[in-house]
Amino acid sequence: MSTIYNQILQAKAKNEKLLAILLDPDKIDLDNIQKLIEKINQSPATHVFVGGSLVENNILDELVLEIKKNCELPILLFPGNPSQISDKADAILFLSLISGRNSDYLIEHQVNAVPILNRTNLEVISTGYILIESGEKTAVERVSKTKPLPRNNQEYILQTAQAGEMLGKKLIYLEAGSGAKFSVSKEIITLVSQNIKIPLIVGGGIRSLLEIENAHNHGADLVVIGTAFENNLNFFNQKG
Ligand code: 1GP
């Protein structure tokens, strides 16, 4: 059976670009879930990510089950902490916040997640998560209590991504933060994508179809769109 990670690798090899819609359980109204799923099914999305920095409500399992019932896309957890694990999903981005120096988000939460993960069949995909300065303080910065990497220090951003690759991460995720003022710049995407071999995810602050296309064209293998779709379910019907 082909794993989700293998499918991502195959897509990268064929230069087929991927797109994930990120759903934050805290912002979803389960009463309107059918409409949301219909819109996902009509969109060009190839993956659904589920998660958020906080996730304070308890609808995670229910949300994942509802999506599974009516949508065939793979569902990947994108957790802010070990409480956000659902065995109903297909895979988990096992994130380590390698841009930060808070050991909780580098290794502690991951250690605590292991007993939970061992009771699931989730495919675990090791991901080097890199937070990049984006104009304003974002939820990731607040919750993780880490500083984002300065956007003008491209060499250090690349070094961080390459360290992640050398540590054996299977994906690198360049994150500007949800609702970021500035998304990750094309220069950073180009530099990192040209100098790592593993697939590159880019997300945070992407607000238009053109921005998705630009991120793809500059080397992102998978682009994540959260807030813009959340705020406008017709996001993918717009031009440009
Ligand atoms: C946040 O990268 C994701 O973790 C998506 O960000 O909500 O700004 O699209 P947006």
Side-chain angles (χ1 to χ4, degrees), residues 132-138 151 176 180-182:
I132 295 171
E133 174 204 354
S134 60
E136 279 166 6
K137 203 168 183 174
T138 62
R151 50 196 276 119
K181 194 166 165 190
F182 308 117

Side-chain angles (χ1 to χ4, degrees), residues 8-113:
I8 295 173
L9 285 180
Q10 282 160 17
K12 180 175 171 63
K14 289 189 263 177
N15 202 30
E16 281 170 15
K17 298 298 181 177
L18 304 171
L19 177 70
I21 291 182
L22 170 66
L23 303 177
D24 182 340
D26 278 338
K27 297 181 186 156
I28 303 282
D29 176 5
L30 277 180
D31 291 338
N32 292 327
I33 188 76
Q34 293 315 328
K35 173 98 184 141
L36 182 83
I37 294 172
E38 200 181 302
K39 291 291 176 187
I40 295 173
N41 285 332
Q42 291 163 2
S43 80
T46 55
H47 295 76
V48 175
F49 286 2
V50 179
S53 298
L54 288 171
V55 185
E56 285 168 329
N57 60 26
N58 285 323
I59 66 161
L60 185 60
D61 279 350
E62 206 178 335
L63 175 63
V64 173
L65 279 175
E66 280 299 322
I67 305 167
K68 272 222 118 36
K69 236 194 293 173
N70 298 296
C71 171
E72 287 179 359
L73 300 179
I75 304 175
L76 286 80
L77 300 174
F78 174 60
N81 65 56
S83 71
Q84 297 173 29
I85 297 175
S86 165
D87 61 353
K88 315 286 186 262
D90 300 303
I92 179 168
L93 293 181
F94 201 44
L95 306 169
S96 178
L97 183 58
I98 58 175
S99 55
R101 298 298 177 263
N102 179 346
S103 57
D104 285 354
Y105 288 85
L106 276 166
I107 185 65
E108 177 74 11
H109 284 321
Q110 293 79 350
V111 172
N112 294 335

Side-chain angles (χ1 to χ4, degrees), residues 22 78 129 173 175 177-180 203-206 224-228:
L22 170 66
F78 174 60
Y129 191 48
Y173 191 142
E175 172 71 275
S178 189
I206 294 176
V224 183
I225 192 97
T227 309

